Amino acid sequence: MSKIKAFDYTNAIGREFGNYVVVRELGRGAMAAVFVAYQKTLKRQVAIKLLPKALATTKVAQQQFRDEAETIAVLDHPNLITIFDSGEDDDYFFQVMQLVEGQDLAQLLKKLRRHPVPARRLLPMAHVRRLLTEVLAGLSYAHDSGVIHQDLKPANILIENRSGRSLIADFGIAKAKQAEYLARGVVVGTPIYLSPEQAIAKDTDARSDLYAVGVILFELLAGRLPIRAENAKDTVSRKIQS
């Protein structure tokens, strides 16, 4: 069991972070957990991402969390998550963001795979076209603003229930601070969606995000991933050699 899954977030429920009261947990990722919170001043629900200081034991992890908030704060687009606030207290670093009532694309794909259609395609073509058009619109805006996502994957694409709109989330390893990772030869991102140059810790640009979009498109149309490997190391090796 990973540290993030093993961490006890019980003390977060009902806790106040400034004007925000944590209500319930939404989900957990590789670095942090996301909760629904109530903003007392504006009487609305928001999303709050919490990074326990007990898990952020390195300055790199702490700075990455801060970098994400700073990166998103300068972006304003209907297909990108909006951030409202950030800070820290005795136990947590936190970010307050727009709450999207819906599910991420990874959750949707998991449900669809339980009931495969004869043609193997997971979503109707019209749905795929709209979803990726919106993702590309958000990426184009981010790229024009000098920000490369670098970890685009289904889990980072949120789909709003009411409108069906797609929004990109989790800019935790955006290119704004990429030089620091490259200097250490660190590979960041999710192996199957990484571009070949990113997989070997080389400098990247907007094309790396477009590579990830291509992998997602293949997955949506073929009903499977383009590379089948036993582990992350094997995935990267096949990606580089192909």
Side-chain angles (χ1 to χ4, degrees):
M1 181 178 292
S2 67
K3 290 172 65 178
I4 189 69
K5 290 181 179 178
F7 188 83
D8 184 4
Y9 283 92
T10 304
N11 73 330
I13 304 298
R15 187 161 177 171
E16 294 189 14
F17 293 87
N19 293 314
Y20 312 98
V21 182
V22 178
V23 178
R24 59 183 171 86
E25 185 175 335
L26 280 176
R28 306 187 188 190
M31 282 286 291
V34 180
F35 296 78
V36 174
Y38 179 73
Q39 185 177 5
K40 295 182 291 183
T41 51
L42 296 179
K43 297 180 173 58
R44 65 176 178 177
Q45 287 192 323
V46 295
I48 186 166
K49 180 186 286 189
L50 301 179
L51 173 63
K53 290 186 176 179
L55 298 183
T57 55
T58 68
K59 290 185 178 180
V60 173
Q62 296 171 21
Q63 190 60 48
Q64 182 176 318
F65 195 76
R66 295 189 185 99
D67 290 345
E68 179 183 10
E70 293 175 4
T71 299
I72 302 175
V74 300
L75 303 178
D76 182 16
H77 190 277
N79 299 114
L80 302 177
I81 289 292
T82 301
I83 190 164
F84 303 132
D85 198 2
S86 68
E88 62 180 275
D89 77 348
D90 293 337
D91 299 319
Y92 293 98
F93 298 99
F94 67 88
Q95 298 172 8
V96 182
M97 300 168 289
Q98 165 189 5
L99 176 64
V100 177
E101 294 286 0
Q103 61 187 330
D104 63 50
L105 182 57
Q107 292 170 323
L108 176 59
L109 294 180
K110 185 176 181 179
K111 292 177 183 177
L112 292 172
R113 286 193 176 99
R114 294 175 187 160
H115 306 284
V117 295
R120 294 178 58 84
R121 185 181 299 158
L122 296 175
L123 288 172
M125 181 60 75
H127 194 159
V128 172
R129 184 183 298 112
R130 177 189 173 181
L131 188 155
L132 291 185
T133 295
E134 292 179 345
V135 167
L136 288 169
L139 284 177
S140 178
Y141 175 86
H143 294 165
D144 288 345
S145 302
V147 176
I148 312 301
H149 191 287
Q150 293 207 118
D151 193 23
L152 189 67
K153 56 187 177 183
N156 290 336
I157 299 173
L158 307 182
I159 303 172
E160 192 173 47
N161 282 339
R162 184 176 59 182
S163 66
R165 176 174 52 136
S166 301
L167 297 93
I168 302 172
D170 199 353
F171 280 78
I173 54 176
K175 189 179 176 176
K177 297 291 181 177
Q178 185 194 21
E180 297 176 15
Y181 297 112
L182 291 175
R184 300 191 306 275
V186 175
V187 176
V188 292
T190 305
I192 191 62
Y193 300 98
L194 290 181
S195 62
E197 63 273 15
Q198 194 177 351
I200 55 175
K202 296 295 184 181
D203 194 17
T204 61
D205 56 29
R207 291 172 291 183
S208 290
D209 285 346
L210 296 182
Y211 181 96
V213 172
V215 175
I216 294 171
L217 175 61
F218 184 99
E219 186 175 6
L220 292 174
L221 297 183
R224 63 175 180 84
L225 289 165
I227 296 176
R228 296 176 179 175
E230 295 296 326
N231 50 52
K233 183 178 180 179
D234 190 24
T235 298
V236 171
S237 177
R238 293 191 183 194
K239 191 180 292 284
I240 295 170
Q241 294 172 8
S242 63

